[in-house]
Amino acid sequence: MAVVGFDVGNLSSYIAVAKGGGIETIANEHSDRMTPSVVSFSGPQRSQGQEAKSQMVTNPKNTVSQFKRFIGRKYKDPAVQEELKRTPYNVVETENGGIGMQVQYQNEQEVFSPEQVTATFLTKLKTTTETALNTKVIDCVISVPQYFTDTERRAVCNSAYIAGLNCLRVMNDTTAVALAYGIYKQDLPTPEEKPRNVVFVDMGHSSLQVAICAFNKGKLKVLSTASDRSLGGRDFDRVIFEQLAKDFLDKYKIDVNSKLRARQRVLVEAEKLKKQMSANATRIPVNMESVMDDKDVRSGMQRSEFEALAADLLKRVEVPLKAALDQIKIKLEDIFSVEIIGGSTRIPAVKEIIKSVFKKELSTTLNQDEAVSRGCALQCAILSPTFRVREFTVTDLTPYPIKLKWTSAKGEPGEMVVFKKNDEVPFTRMLTFYRSEAFSLEAFYSDEVPVPYPDSFIGKFTVKNITPNEEGESPKIKVKVNINRHGIFSVSSAHVVVKLPPEPEPEEPKEEAGKEGKGVNGKEEVNKEGGGGEEGAKMETEPTTPNDTAGTEEQPKQGAAGQEGEEKMETSEEQQEKQDETDTSKTKDEEEGKKENGDKEDGKKGKAKVKYSNRDLPIESVVNELTLPQLQLLYEKEMHMVAQDKLERDRSHAKNNVEEYVYEMREKMYGSLEIYITEEDREKFSALLNETEDWLYGDGEDLQKNAYITKLEDLKKLGDPVVKREQEATERPRAFDELGQALILYRKFLTQYNDGDEKFSHIEKADIEKVERCLKEKEEWRDKKQNAQNQIPLTKDPVVLASQVRTELQNLISTCDPITKKPKPKPKEEPPKEEPPKDETPKPEGDNPTPTDEKMETESTEANKEETNPPPQADEMEVD
Ligand SMILES: Nc1ncnc2c1ncn2[C@@H]1O[C@H](COP(=O)(O)OP(=O)(O)OP(=O)(O)O)[C@@H](O)[C@H]1O
Ligand SMILES: [Mg+2]
């Protein structure tokens, strides 16, 4: 199965696949390695990538771009409201406060969620990959910005689900880049040595991300990250656009902001200008025709002018760079290199700022555009069971602290930070509670660190089916909280510790580790789980409450894609063992754990036995994501639309074929085909072509595929014979030529034979007569057919076809060749004579060869050496 990485950028997306020979970037159907992140709806069809991008100016209302800014967000979110100021298509608030992208699709007004639009785009990346690899694509790794919060990450997982993909990891852009950087490096320090610290700066279309990573052989650890969610290439485009718009208003009195199409065109021009200014410091002219009100405009800009206009934006570049440094108090001399990626790091002023913050020359070791997708493909290879790849451990971090809130058994509020900023990811912690009834834990982003998301709520997790124990006390409830490899938080499992009756001795209790499904995660996670356990032990000193008893019940299957991921991660048996080991090693509860085990051992030593068993408890999760039934519905809808797209593509292909045929024939009827059709027929055919053209733009504009196929067949009934006559008129002389040459050669053979040529003396008379008969027959046939053909005009169907001539030629060859090429029998063995040198071999007497004969002669001599006769092959013989 294919091992794929998708970098879904705000502007441009890339696909990389892992293959035996390394990582390869996949080009789309336009042979372009970059696919624009755009989805367009035009009439009955959806299009994505390049085709959709070309509609940004012509069909802006139904062309959705920048959907990455909306995914996992609500309509009233201030960031969304800000975004809407620059969105050319309609966005509405859905019933549940979500975002709806309103477009015309299949002649209806339809509203799609950002998750659906993202899925539509992922479908495109998926099919592009499938076409290139000629295999199914299911498993993949998808990149997201490091600053994405829980809900945004869940939404990306949901989109993958809707597109029929299995996202093995939602991977931070900068972490993917770090993996692409590190995995092939042969000279990394050993695990015992000081790590190599590398800074990665990714400035793309919409945001700026920085990560400082530590590398040792076989592993990378993200030490710190920082970002500006709203600082990217498009912000630079905007300042250029504003300047051009102002200029056009002053000089030409046109307000391009008042007309969507004009605005889109000037925006495209602004981006082009920005890129040109990266390469040239001189003034770059801008000339646009008929921008608005039929006015042509002229303007221009110089790099220094742009830098002055963008000064406020440029000032913001250093903020995340410094923040990443400050978080870990790293010295600049401990930074090995600064790697830049993302299109906007090509801006000279941006480069200067990065250089001045890190006081280092910048490195471009990595492919600036493709590094993210390559890292994702590598991660997919690491996680995929079908692919073997060098071991490389990736430890990411959580950018935002997460706290849990609960109400104690006494009714008092409790809370604690369960994951601090920059804690390792993925990671699992174990918390212990004493409860006699169901209780809830609510997860929030802690407000110590600003989170670029208006709602700090992550989820509410209710641990259910708890009852007091036999003594009427609250049993011990162990709860696992986890940030999985997608960076998604959950309360992933809970169990109650139940005291078992002393006799009869039950079977050794086993934790139901596999209940949540077999894991697919890579080895690095196993290691981290080990680490997580130790930290988790501290967490086990959590608040306790009075006595009760515990119940047991199977944990329900949890929701959607994001949770599926965490389930998988949780359930590696290896991980579970590690976790449990660590859990039972420290602290008060750990001690109790020990006691549990100790008691078991004591039992073995014959003392009073107290045995415990763990029983899983169901958890009800309320999180910001679609439920499985909702997802299933959307998946089915997407698959239906994929089928519609195919139908529509086939339909429009069939229609195009008719259109193309009409134009081609009309041109040829008065051009290359003119001499092959009578005037009367030409007029008749032309009329039919005109009629068909009218039909295509009238009644036949919107019909099913078969209507076009039938129409084309009708046209071809008239057109094909003419085309065939032209083809025959070209082919036929060539075929007659070939036949003629063969006849000459065999005739020449007969002449040589009749002249008593020694080399044919072994051929029997009957065979010679056969050749003669065949030759005569074919010559007559040729003469008859050629004469007949010459009698009829070109406008009539030919009396003989080139294919028939070639059949006659084949008959001739198969009759004559076995005779003319019959090998001469070996001469009787004679006592060895001294042979004259080769070039002095005497030629047969009376031979006065023509150039043709000479060739035959030479071949004959060579052939005699090999004791075979000359093969008079038509294509090897020269003819006078
Ligand atoms: N030579 C250049 N000079 C200036 N800007 C450039 C140049 N080449 C590309 N860009 C800009 O880089 C941006 C695209 O970069 P990139 O492809 O890394 O973004 P993305 O991955 O789609 O977005 P994001 O990472 O924000 O999701 C665009 O704004 C583009 O105009
Ligand atoms: Mg990017």
Side-chain angles (χ1 to χ4, degrees):
M1 208 197 296
V3 171
V4 185
F6 295 132
D7 167 13
V8 182
N10 197 57
L11 184 76
S12 13
S13 294
Y14 293 85
I15 306 167
V17 295
K19 285 194 169 171
I23 303 293
E24 231 176 65
T25 295
I26 296 281
N28 58 28
E29 72 276 29
H30 306 284
S31 307
D32 199 340
R33 294 159 83 90
M34 184 276 282
T35 299
S37 310
V38 187
V39 172
S40 187
F41 301 82
S42 65
Q45 205 176 4
R46 309 183 301 172
S47 57
Q48 305 100 322
Q50 192 56 54
E51 284 156 46
K53 190 184 172 189
S54 60
Q55 294 191 43
M56 283 179 81
V57 173
T58 54
N59 181 21
K61 285 271 165 220
N62 298 307
T63 303
V64 182
S65 58
Q66 321 258 343
F67 44 86
K68 198 170 150 183
R69 305 295 292 175
F70 294 113
I71 194 160
R73 288 188 171 251
K74 295 278 185 196
Y75 184 80
K76 293 217 162 69
D77 180 334
V80 169
Q81 287 304 311
E82 190 55 37
E83 201 67 36
L84 291 183
K85 290 182 191 160
R86 43 167 110 167
T87 306
Y89 48 90
N90 279 345
V91 176
V92 295
E93 183 171 8
T94 58
E95 263 174 28
N96 58 0
I99 294 168
M101 284 131 167
Q102 195 179 49
V103 291
Q104 282 289 121
Y105 173 59
Q106 306 243 334
N107 302 322
E108 304 265 328
Q109 196 172 69
E110 277 258 18
V111 171
F112 293 104
S113 66
E115 284 86 337
Q116 281 179 286
V117 173
T118 306
T120 302
F121 186 66
L122 285 172
T123 294
K124 170 73 179 180
L125 299 185
K126 181 180 170 205
T127 44
T128 299
T129 319
E130 287 177 341
T131 309
L133 302 181
N134 200 17
T135 179
K136 272 247 154 277
V137 170
I138 294 172
D139 287 351
C140 64
V141 167
I142 302 173
S143 72
V144 293
Q146 48 168 255
Y147 51 78
F148 259 27
T149 54
D150 211 78
T151 313
E152 289 162 298
R153 287 168 193 270
R154 284 179 189 273
V156 172
C157 286
N158 287 180
S159 294
Y161 186 101
I162 297 168
L165 289 164
N166 178 29
C167 181
L168 299 183
R169 181 171 194 165
V170 163
M171 191 171 201
N172 291 334
D173 286 331
T174 41
T175 312
V177 172
L179 176 59
Y181 170 92
I183 198 162
Y184 293 121
K185 287 266 178 298
Q186 296 293 336
D187 56 345
L188 292 176
T190 62
E192 299 74 38
E193 287 173 324
K194 236 174 114 176
R196 174 189 289 186
N197 300 314
V198 180
V199 178
F200 298 94
V201 182
D202 177 359
M203 193 175 199
H205 189 52
S206 61
S207 64
L208 167 63
Q209 306 175 63
V210 192
I212 305 178
C213 301
F215 291 88
N216 287 94
K217 252 196 178 59
K219 64 176 184 183
L220 88 84
K221 185 171 182 343
V222 184
L223 301 176
S224 69
T225 59
S227 54
D228 186 332
R229 185 183 180 273
S230 305
L231 181 60
R234 62 184 197 151
D235 301 288
F236 295 111
D237 297 346
R238 182 127 304 258
V239 293
I240 299 170
F241 168 87
E242 299 293 356
Q243 180 59 30
L244 293 179
K246 187 171 165 293
D247 206 20
F248 297 156
L249 189 63
D250 291 349
K251 283 201 239 163
Y252 304 98
K253 311 288 172 240
I254 50 169
D255 177 10
V256 291
N257 270 310
S258 67
K259 226 175 190 167
L260 191 51
R261 203 186 152 106
R263 196 174 81 180
Q264 293 295 99
R265 277 190 65 194
V266 178
L267 258 175
V268 171
E269 201 61 30
E271 195 205 356
K272 212 164 95 192
L273 181 58
K274 174 187 71 176
K275 288 183 180 170
Q276 287 171 323
M277 284 191 290
S278 293
N280 304 285
T282 52
R283 184 179 163 80
I284 314 284
V286 172
N287 295 310
M288 294 176 73
E289 279 177 21
S290 203
V291 173
M292 209 176 135
D293 303 342
D294 275 340
K295 285 187 181 162
D296 300 346
V297 296
R298 281 164 175 270
S299 186
M301 199 178 282
Q302 197 162 350
R303 190 191 289 168
S304 53
E305 214 178 324
F306 161 65
E307 287 171 2
L309 289 169
D312 288 346
L313 295 174
L314 291 169
K315 250 188 243 152
R316 282 165 54 193
V317 172
E318 64 175 32
V319 179
L321 308 183
K322 287 186 170 164
L325 282 173
D326 288 350
Q327 282 170 41
I328 48 170
K329 309 274 176 257
I330 193 169
K331 287 194 216 119
L332 290 182
E333 57 267 32
D334 288 335
I335 289 173
F336 178 83
S337 67
V338 179
E339 300 284 338
I340 52 167
I341 59 255
S344 298
T345 56
R346 293 192 176 101
I347 298 174
V350 170
K351 281 197 222 173
E352 280 311 310
I353 296 166
I354 304 171
K355 238 193 267 183
S356 75
V357 170
F358 296 105
K359 309 218 169 353
K360 245 189 187 61
E361 281 307 312
L362 306 180
S363 309
T364 44
T365 317
L366 295 155
N367 182 314
Q368 235 164 320
D369 301 310
E370 297 171 10
V372 174
S373 61
R374 296 174 73 84
C376 289
L378 282 162
Q379 179 66 76
C380 192
I382 291 171
L383 294 175
S384 170
T386 61
F387 209 86
R388 279 190 51 182
V389 67
R390 170 177 317 181
E391 287 219 353
F392 204 87
T393 303
V394 181
T395 307
D396 212 323
L397 55 75
T398 175
Y400 316 117
I402 294 173
K403 70 179 170 197
L404 274 187
K405 287 185 182 178
W406 61 84
T407 306
S408 79
K410 287 181 192 158
E412 288 158 4
E415 70 169 57
M416 77 174 300
V417 172
V418 278
F419 291 102
K420 301 191 299 297
K421 179 177 169 62
N422 290 357
D423 267 358
E424 281 182 17
V425 164
F427 212 95
T428 298
R429 291 204 158 110
M430 184 81 93
L431 310 177
T432 304
F433 296 85
Y434 287 85
R435 289 286 195 284
S436 56
E437 57 186 24
F439 68 104
S440 295
L441 299 167
E442 285 189 281
F444 293 88
Y445 283 117
S446 158
D447 45 19
E448 306 152 32
V449 171
V451 181
Y453 200 82
D455 186 3
S456 62
F457 176 77
I458 295 173
K460 182 175 176 180
F461 306 89
T462 306
V463 185
K464 299 170 90 174
N465 286 10
I466 306 172
T467 51
N469 62 18
E470 279 175 4
E471 290 84 23
E473 296 167 340
S474 297
K476 180 155 78 173
I477 314 292
K478 290 197 167 194
V479 174
K480 267 190 194 175
V481 295
N482 160 269
I483 298 185
N484 67 15
R485 67 163 86 97
H486 304 300
I488 292 172
F489 174 87
S490 72
V491 173
S492 54
S493 70
H495 65 258
V496 58
V497 181
V498 187
K499 198 154 104 183
L500 296 172
E503 295 298 341
E505 196 170 311
E507 265 184 37
E508 189 78 4
K510 256 192 182 171
E511 189 143 349
E512 291 174 43
K515 188 172 282 180
E516 295 161 82
K518 187 74 187 156
V520 289
N521 47 331
K523 287 191 179 104
E524 85 254 13
E525 304 215 20
V526 174
N527 298 340
K528 263 164 241 115
E529 284 283 315
E534 276 180 39
E535 294 261 322
K538 287 178 202 138
M539 292 292 165
E540 292 226 12
T541 53
E542 265 313 292
T544 56
T545 50
N547 321 318
D548 278 319
T549 327
T552 51
E553 198 169 299
E554 193 147 306
Q555 185 164 327
K557 169 113 180 82
Q558 296 199 357
Q563 289 180 338
E564 273 177 27
E566 80 208 4
E567 280 181 46
K568 284 174 187 165
M569 196 185 112
E570 270 296 297
T571 54
S572 154
E573 282 165 25
E574 210 177 335
Q575 287 174 2
Q576 193 73 45
E577 276 164 26
K578 281 215 174 196
Q579 175 93 44
D580 287 346
E581 268 170 37
T582 334
D583 285 346
T584 53
S585 63
K586 287 175 188 172
T587 73
K588 184 182 125 199
D589 290 325
E590 298 309 307
E591 285 310 315
E592 280 191 37
K594 260 191 189 164
K595 205 170 96 199
E596 289 163 24
N597 293 336
D599 286 342
K600 284 175 205 157
E601 280 169 27
D602 285 351
K604 280 179 202 149
K605 287 174 200 159
K607 289 186 187 169
K609 279 196 293 193
V610 183
K611 294 201 171 186
Y612 292 87
S613 168
N614 294 335
R615 304 266 159 77
D616 286 348
L617 295 172
I619 299 168
E620 192 181 273
S621 307
V622 178
V623 289
N624 292 324
E625 75 171 349
L626 297 162
T627 61
L628 261 182
Q630 285 171 327
L631 276 175
Q632 193 55 31
L633 267 179
L634 292 177
Y635 166 75
E636 278 157 24
K637 181 158 188 194
E638 174 63 25
M639 291 308 119
H640 177 71
M641 289 191 286
V642 167
Q644 287 289 314
D645 288 344
K646 184 174 171 349
L647 263 182
E648 179 53 27
R649 252 198 322 275
D650 290 351
R651 195 190 76 85
S652 85
H653 184 68
K655 189 179 172 192
N656 280 347
N657 285 347
V658 178
E659 205 169 8
E660 268 172 29
Y661 191 79
V662 167
Y663 293 137
E664 188 191 334
M665 282 300 127
R666 191 182 288 149
E667 193 194 312
K668 286 191 173 168
M669 279 304 137
Y670 292 96
S672 59
L673 294 177
E674 195 171 4
I675 51 172
Y676 301 101
I677 186 167
T678 60
E679 206 167 323
E680 191 193 340
D681 282 350
R682 187 167 56 240
E683 268 162 29
K684 203 166 126 199
F685 192 41
S686 291
L688 186 61
L689 292 173
N690 290 342
E691 200 182 287
T692 308
E693 189 183 24
D694 294 343
W695 174 81
L696 276 173
Y697 299 109
D699 292 349
E701 185 164 17
D702 200 13
L703 298 178
Q704 291 302 307
K705 178 175 129 185
N706 280 346
Y708 301 109
I709 292 177
T710 312
K711 183 60 86 179
L712 187 60
E713 280 168 1
D714 288 349
L715 289 176
K716 284 190 168 186
K717 272 183 205 148
L718 285 185
D720 272 3
V722 190
V723 174
K724 185 110 184 94
R725 289 203 279 274
E726 188 216 18
Q727 284 168 354
E728 280 297 324
T730 320
E731 257 323 288
R732 197 172 45 241
R734 278 189 216 138
F736 271 125
D737 251 19
E738 286 162 28
L739 178 63
Q741 286 187 25
L743 290 170
I744 290 171
L745 286 172
Y746 291 123
R747 191 54 72 204
K748 199 162 269 176
F749 159 81
L750 286 180
T751 311
Q752 285 180 328
Y753 175 85
N754 291 333
D755 287 351
D757 194 327
E758 184 52 28
K759 49 181 191 294
F760 303 124
S761 61
H762 62 289
I763 299 175
E764 285 170 22
K765 187 92 180 93
D767 280 344
I768 295 295
E769 282 166 9
K770 199 171 164 192
V771 172
E772 266 170 350
R773 266 197 316 277
C774 181
L775 218 57
K776 187 160 175 281
E777 185 193 308
K778 299 298 171 202
E779 281 165 348
E780 280 172 9
W781 181 87
R782 182 212 34 204
D783 295 345
K784 195 173 123 208
K785 292 293 176 186
Q786 272 185 333
N787 281 341
Q789 182 62 45
N790 292 341
Q791 302 298 312
I792 59 160
L794 287 170
T795 50
K796 279 231 151 62
D797 285 346
V799 290
V800 58
L801 302 177
S803 58
Q804 291 171 312
V805 180
R806 292 218 163 86
T807 308
E808 294 300 317
L809 172 64
Q810 277 315 313
N811 287 343
L812 175 71
I813 291 172
S814 56
T815 306
C816 300
D817 261 14
I819 299 168
T820 58
K821 289 181 180 175
K822 192 173 176 185
K824 203 173 166 77
K826 272 187 188 178
K828 282 215 173 97
E829 286 272 313
E830 280 179 33
K833 260 197 261 169
E834 214 178 292
E835 267 190 33
K838 199 168 117 197
D839 54 353
E840 288 171 26
T841 307
K843 298 208 161 76
E845 244 188 291
D847 205 7
N848 185 17
T850 59
T852 310
D853 294 335
E854 208 171 342
K855 181 145 198 235
M856 288 181 78
E857 200 63 49
T858 318
E859 284 184 355
S860 160
T861 313
E862 290 290 314
N864 281 340
K865 251 174 56 182
E866 290 165 21
E867 294 168 338
T868 49
N869 258 338
Q873 284 176 351
D875 54 353
E876 278 187 20
M877 293 180 182
E878 288 173 22
V879 181
D880 298 326

